[in-house]
Amino acid sequence: MRVVISGYYGFGNTGDEAILRAIVNSMKSERPDLDIIVLSNNPAETAKMHDVKAINRMDIRSIWTTLSHSDMLISGGGGLLQDVTSFRNILYYSGIIYMAWLLKKPIMYYANGVGPINIGFNRLLVRNISNKAQVITVRDLLSKRQLDEIGVKTDVFITADPAFLLKVPEDINVEDIYEKEGIPLNNKILGISIRKWKNFDYVKEALKDFVNKVRNIEDFNIVFLPMQKNEDLRACEEISRDLERSYVIKGNYDVYEVLGIVSKFDYMIGMRLHAMIFSVLNGVPVIGISYDPKIDNFFNIIGQQYLNHIDEVNSERLLNQFLDVVMHKNEISRCLKRKAEELRQKAMENNKIAFSVLERQRWLHD
């Protein structure tokens, strides 16, 4: 059986690569002979990193040929169907789905985050294209509500982000990574995952002021974690250079290595969704800065209240939240580990649904 996977892959975004790693590993663990072909911005890197076949995501002729010889299209996971970051997202992913439909291939949305979809034409397009799918799984209730609101009739199941299936392998030497980066492990670590967004200068100053206030109470090493180097590295460096004993992870690391890096954090301040998912997987208490409804929704899912909207971030609020987190660290950590296991079980449902679609396809062919 051959599956084609479409998503935001090959762009150097650790979160999306974590999604792909989890999908590929979990599907192949159940079906080792499964042939997986990924549409990627960097096919050679994707093929090497994930041990799959990969083709250029913009080579329409090659995509058509590949889909024509496949048994199923998986679209996802991640926040593909939204028009906040770009109008082109919906056009591109809808186009791939439409090709699969023309070729009469079964289509599954795999743990998608859907919305916000603000433009009327996009809402119409997503409704029409989503109704061509055999089944849809979404990673949160907000995504299901968005699909319901625009009139999608395909069955929609709420599961969880595939990244919750990840665990740090025993052969990953995290201490070596920290040594390579020149980061001492002789002190507690406050991890920060930041990205540039509106009001960045304001957020930058709030974070610097917050770190200095924290250090008046207890000393920490600060470790900045860029989740997408071409977008996050400069933002991290702009803040880090004005802080003592502050470090920026600059090397290129595998998904499991980044998960291992986070395992050494004592606390995290996060904007990037999958940096915060990595925190939950490691039981690391996290304080969020929300720039997108998916972050608000994530905090609802994990049952945590330490969230700041990007327009309202200030150092005093961050400090008060942080002191509360420190006071309840053990309790929060236990809660996050329980929640991670609960979400891991939900994430496993994606594969059950995917294989049921594949089995139906094989039965029809037989």
Side-chain angles (χ1 to χ4, degrees), residues 5-6 43 91 103 119 144 161 188 210-211 220 344 357:
I5 301 179
S6 167
L91 294 178
L103 289 163
I119 300 170
K144 185 179 187 308
D161 194 293
K188 290 183 178 179
F210 159 71
V211 169
F220 284 90
R344 188 182 75 84
V357 175

Side-chain angles (χ1 to χ4, degrees), residues 96-112:
I96 301 299
I97 294 164
Y98 187 63
M99 280 196 284
W101 179 77
L102 286 174
L103 289 163
K104 296 181 171 57
K105 302 299 178 179
I107 299 157
M108 174 183 174
Y109 289 13
Y110 192 113
N112 274 208

Side-chain angles (χ1 to χ4, degrees), residues 184-241:
L185 289 170
N186 61 346
N187 210 351
K188 290 183 178 179
I189 294 176
L190 171 60
I192 299 178
S193 172
I194 199 80
R195 66 171 299 173
K196 281 207 171 183
W197 201 255
K198 64 178 183 177
N199 296 336
F200 176 71
D201 288 340
Y202 174 73
V203 173
K204 177 174 66 175
E205 294 306 316
L207 281 171
K208 286 193 289 189
D209 192 35
F210 159 71
V211 169
N212 288 325
K213 286 176 177 177
V214 165
R215 281 181 164 160
N216 288 331
I217 301 168
E218 186 171 358
D219 199 15
F220 284 90
N221 289 335
I222 310 299
V223 176
F224 285 85
L225 179 65
M227 293 292 282
Q228 186 166 0
K229 286 289 195 303
N230 63 334
E231 291 191 11
D232 301 356
L233 182 60
R234 183 176 295 180
C236 292
E237 289 176 336
E238 283 184 29
I239 303 173
S240 176
R241 66 189 176 205

Side-chain angles (χ1 to χ4, degrees), residues 15-72:
D16 289 285
E17 299 305 326
I19 290 170
L20 182 57
R21 176 65 56 85
I23 294 174
V24 169
N25 285 4
S26 59
M27 292 192 79
K28 283 198 167 185
S29 68
E30 189 165 335
R31 192 76 62 84
D33 62 339
L34 188 67
D35 190 14
I36 296 177
I37 302 175
V38 178
L39 310 187
S40 171
N41 184 61
N42 189 335
E45 183 179 87
T46 296
K48 181 180 178 181
M49 185 183 300
H50 300 285
D51 191 24
V52 294
K53 297 173 185 174
I55 62 173
N56 191 309
R57 74 196 301 268
M58 301 306 293
D59 186 342
I60 302 303
R61 180 177 295 179
S62 182
I63 294 170
W64 179 270
T65 301
T66 300
L67 282 170
S68 69
H69 293 96
S70 72
D71 298 290
M72 179 184 185

Side-chain angles (χ1 to χ4, degrees), residues 20-21 33 41 77 107 114 139 152 172 190 198 206 215 240 242 265 275 281 294 302 307 327 347 358:
L20 182 57
R21 176 65 56 85
D33 62 339
N41 184 61
I107 299 157
V114 180
R139 64 188 179 189
V152 173
I172 298 292
L190 171 60
K198 64 178 183 177
R215 281 181 164 160
S240 176
D242 293 328
F265 291 176
L281 286 169
K294 67 183 180 183
I302 64 173
L307 183 64
M327 188 179 302
L358 269 175

Side-chain angles (χ1 to χ4, degrees), residues 89-323:
N89 286 339
I90 288 175
L91 294 178
Y92 173 79
Y93 295 112
S94 296
I96 301 299
I97 294 164
Y98 187 63
M99 280 196 284
W101 179 77
L102 286 174
L103 289 163
K104 296 181 171 57
K105 302 299 178 179
I107 299 157
M108 174 183 174
Y109 289 13
Y110 192 113
N112 274 208
V114 180
I117 307 173
N118 299 310
I119 300 170
F121 172 78
N122 286 347
R123 294 165 71 88
L124 180 64
L125 180 58
V126 171
R127 183 189 71 191
N128 290 340
I129 208 72
S130 298
N131 282 329
K132 299 183 187 309
Q134 272 59 48
V135 67
I136 295 172
T137 65
V138 293
R139 64 188 179 189
D140 53 59
L141 177 60
L142 200 64
S143 295
K144 185 179 187 308
R145 285 176 176 167
Q146 175 80 92
L147 292 172
D148 290 343
E149 179 191 332
I150 63 177
V152 173
K153 303 302 181 185
T154 301
D155 289 337
V156 179
F157 301 93
I158 302 171
T159 56
D161 194 293
F164 281 104
L165 296 173
L166 298 174
K167 292 182 180 180
V168 182
E170 293 181 1
D171 60 350
I172 298 292
N173 193 323
V174 181
E175 288 78 9
D176 283 355
I177 296 173
Y178 273 83
E179 184 177 351
K180 178 182 175 182
E181 291 286 340
I183 303 173
L185 289 170
N186 61 346
N187 210 351
K188 290 183 178 179
I189 294 176
L190 171 60
I192 299 178
S193 172
I194 199 80
R195 66 171 299 173
K196 281 207 171 183
W197 201 255
K198 64 178 183 177
N199 296 336
F200 176 71
D201 288 340
Y202 174 73
V203 173
K204 177 174 66 175
E205 294 306 316
L207 281 171
K208 286 193 289 189
D209 192 35
F210 159 71
V211 169
N212 288 325
K213 286 176 177 177
V214 165
R215 281 181 164 160
N216 288 331
I217 301 168
E218 186 171 358
D219 199 15
F220 284 90
N221 289 335
I222 310 299
V223 176
F224 285 85
L225 179 65
M227 293 292 282
Q228 186 166 0
K229 286 289 195 303
N230 63 334
E231 291 191 11
D232 301 356
L233 182 60
R234 183 176 295 180
C236 292
E237 289 176 336
E238 283 184 29
I239 303 173
S240 176
R241 66 189 176 205
D242 293 328
L243 299 170
E244 294 181 1
R245 293 183 310 287
S246 178
Y247 309 88
V248 178
I249 300 290
K250 295 183 178 179
N252 294 316
Y253 295 105
D254 178 82
V255 166
Y256 288 130
E257 291 173 322
V258 177
L259 186 58
I261 289 169
V262 175
S263 73
K264 293 295 183 182
F265 291 176
D266 292 280
Y267 308 93
M268 174 183 274
I269 308 292
M271 278 183 72
R272 287 284 191 181
L273 174 62
H274 283 85
M276 293 186 277
I277 287 177
F278 286 5
S279 280
V280 173
L281 286 169
N282 284 295
V284 175
V286 58
I287 296 171
I289 298 175
S290 176
Y291 67 96
D292 187 287
K294 67 183 180 183
I295 307 300
D296 302 65
N297 209 40
F298 175 69
F299 271 77
N300 286 333
I301 290 169
I302 64 173
Q304 295 295 302
Q305 60 184 353
Y306 306 106
L307 183 64
N308 305 266
H309 289 274
I310 195 161
D311 295 328
E312 303 169 354
V313 176
N314 67 76
S315 59
E316 280 299 323
R317 178 177 167 82
L318 285 172
L319 181 62
N320 289 335
Q321 289 178 334
F322 184 76
L323 293 176

